[in-house]
């Protein structure tokens, strides 16, 4: 078994979990706007410690303690939480805060803001909440119509975007626009984990990626591994391991998304050693 390096919890998710655990110990009950991180097993553990989930600021009980998820929330939601809570604990990853700030400043400078990412992802929805003017979300260059002429475009990326797909989208937009301003807001942890699975793919017969099915960065790891032609299995926990899939593979690689806690990776490694 070869484990990708680095892999697993990124700085932003680790920081959010530590803040949340500290708050739960101090206040007993904490309400998080949306899932605090994208890992169902870790969220279930935190719910066991007193975490409650709400899906909009209006549902925050008056006077309670609230938590802002690692992926951030729109400015209006943050203001709503602040009005209703006695204390807001901000778990927004600093890299996400930078992307929100870039979007806000581009919008103020009069650019139409283009976010390269997944329009349904909470991080992207949060970033859009900092833009007062025009905006557009595209998942990649295939969504750009080469015939359309854009004015001034301010472009940034979802923090977990693949570098190659961001670069391709920027190149195509540059040809369709009179002026572009680009901020590469892909975070270093994402790039490192994507490179580590590329290295891993060259060494093994199959890769198990462990991480939440709702985790964008885990999905990107799976996509990269599959694109390199390596048999890839995506699981959330070791109970989903399939003996049949392991058969005939001499060496197995393990990689984990940036929101996968250490205990789930350790559990998977133990299970693999017993099979
Ligand atoms: Fe932050 Fe990057 Fe993790 S944006 S939450 S350090 S994947």
């Amino acid at each position: 078994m070869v484990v990708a390096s680095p892999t697993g919890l990124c700085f932003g998710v680790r920081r959010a979990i530590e803040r949340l655990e500290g708050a739960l110990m101090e206040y007993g009950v904490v309400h998080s706007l949306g899932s605090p991180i994208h890992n169902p097993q870790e969220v279930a553990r935190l719910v066991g410690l007193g975490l409650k989930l709400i899906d909009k600021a209006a549902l925050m009980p008056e006077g309670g303690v609230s938590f802002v998820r690692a992926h951030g929330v729109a400015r209006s939601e943050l203001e709503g939480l602040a009005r209703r809570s006695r204390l807001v604990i901000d778990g927004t990853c600093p890299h996400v805060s930078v992307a929100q700030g870039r979007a806000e400043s581009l919008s103020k400078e009069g650019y139409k803001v283009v976010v390269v990412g997944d329009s349904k992802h909470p991080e992207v929805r949060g970033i859009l909440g900092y833009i007062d003017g025009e905006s557009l979300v595209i998942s990649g260059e295939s969504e750009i119509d080469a015939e359309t002429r854009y004015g001034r475009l301010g472009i940034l990326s979802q923090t977990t975007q693949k570098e190659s797909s961001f670069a391709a989208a920027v190149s195509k937009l540059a040809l369709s626009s009179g002026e572009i301003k680009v901020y590469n807001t892909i975070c270093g942890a994402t790039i490192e984990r994507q490179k580590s699975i590329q290295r891993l793919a060259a060494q093994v017969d199959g890769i198990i990626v462990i991480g939440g099915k709702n985790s964008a960065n885990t999905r990107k790891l799976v996509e990269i591994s599959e694109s390199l032609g390596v048999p890839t299995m995506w699981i959330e926990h070791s109970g989903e391991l399939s003996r049949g899939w392991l058969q005939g593979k001499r060496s197995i690689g393990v990689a984990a998304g940036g929101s996968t806690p250490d205990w789930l990776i350790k559990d998977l490694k133990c299970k693999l050693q017993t099979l």
Side-chain angles (χ1 to χ4, degrees):
M1 178 196 350
V2 189
V3 181
S5 175
T7 206
L9 276 195
C10 62
F11 150 78
V13 172
R14 193 179 291 281
R15 176 178 174 273
I17 293 172
E18 284 170 3
R19 287 191 171 191
L20 188 46
E21 276 178 333
L24 287 165
M25 261 200 294
E26 194 163 349
Y27 304 106
V29 173
V30 176
H31 287 78
S32 170
L33 180 49
S35 188
I37 64 160
H38 280 170
N39 185 274
Q41 290 70 29
E42 180 69 346
V43 171
R45 185 185 74 82
L46 293 163
V47 166
L49 298 178
L51 174 70
K52 305 233 181 276
L53 301 176
I54 50 173
D55 59 13
K56 50 184 171 208
L59 297 176
M60 178 65 206
E62 292 280 351
V65 176
S66 60
F67 181 80
V68 179
R69 63 187 171 209
H71 290 299
V73 298
R75 190 174 43 203
S76 59
E77 291 280 7
L78 187 56
E79 287 165 357
L81 276 185
R83 272 196 301 277
R84 301 178 73 90
S85 314
R86 92 181 120 105
L87 175 67
V88 180
I89 295 163
D90 193 357
T92 310
C93 172
H95 295 295
V96 174
S97 299
V98 167
Q100 292 170 343
R102 296 294 194 208
E104 187 171 29
S105 65
L106 286 168
S107 179
K108 280 195 181 127
E109 289 166 39
Y111 290 96
K112 175 172 181 159
V113 183
V114 181
V115 183
V116 182
D118 173 0
S119 61
K120 296 197 187 81
H121 193 279
E123 178 195 323
V124 173
R125 293 206 310 268
I127 290 171
L128 293 178
Y130 285 79
I131 298 168
D132 291 322
E134 277 187 283
S135 63
L136 174 70
V137 181
I138 54 166
S139 63
E141 57 143 350
S142 62
E143 286 178 27
I144 303 164
D145 176 7
E147 302 302 313
T148 305
R149 286 282 156 264
Y150 297 100
R152 301 168 72 221
L153 294 181
I155 309 168
L156 54 102
S157 53
Q158 185 175 348
T159 55
T160 48
Q161 195 63 25
K162 275 193 276 185
E163 274 185 315
S164 55
S165 81
F166 182 58
V170 169
S171 307
K172 197 159 172 187
L173 284 168
L175 298 174
S176 312
S177 168
E179 179 192 338
I180 62 166
K181 188 164 180 178
V182 182
Y183 287 115
N184 177 359
T185 45
I186 301 174
C187 92
T190 297
I191 296 166
E192 282 173 5
R193 277 155 187 71
Q194 292 179 358
K195 287 191 174 150
S196 78
I197 200 166
Q198 283 168 354
R199 288 192 296 271
L200 185 66
Q203 303 169 45
V204 296
D205 300 324
I207 293 183
I208 300 169
V209 180
I210 181 163
K213 294 282 164 78
N214 55 348
S215 158
N217 75 79
T218 307
R219 177 176 299 280
K220 292 286 183 314
L221 295 182
V222 172
E223 284 171 9
I224 290 170
S225 179
E226 286 175 344
S227 73
L228 294 169
V230 183
T232 306
M233 188 185 197
W234 183 0
I235 58 171
E236 286 195 344
H237 56 84
S238 66
E240 294 173 66
L241 262 188
S242 137
R243 234 179 237 276
W245 185 86
L246 292 170
Q247 263 167 16
K249 297 185 179 71
R250 279 168 306 154
S251 90
I252 294 291
V254 171
S259 45
T260 309
D262 301 341
W263 62 270
L264 279 172
I265 303 171
K266 210 184 263 178
D267 185 48
L268 171 63
K269 289 200 280 192
C270 287
K271 182 104 185 249
L272 276 170
Q273 272 155 1
T274 61
L275 286 175

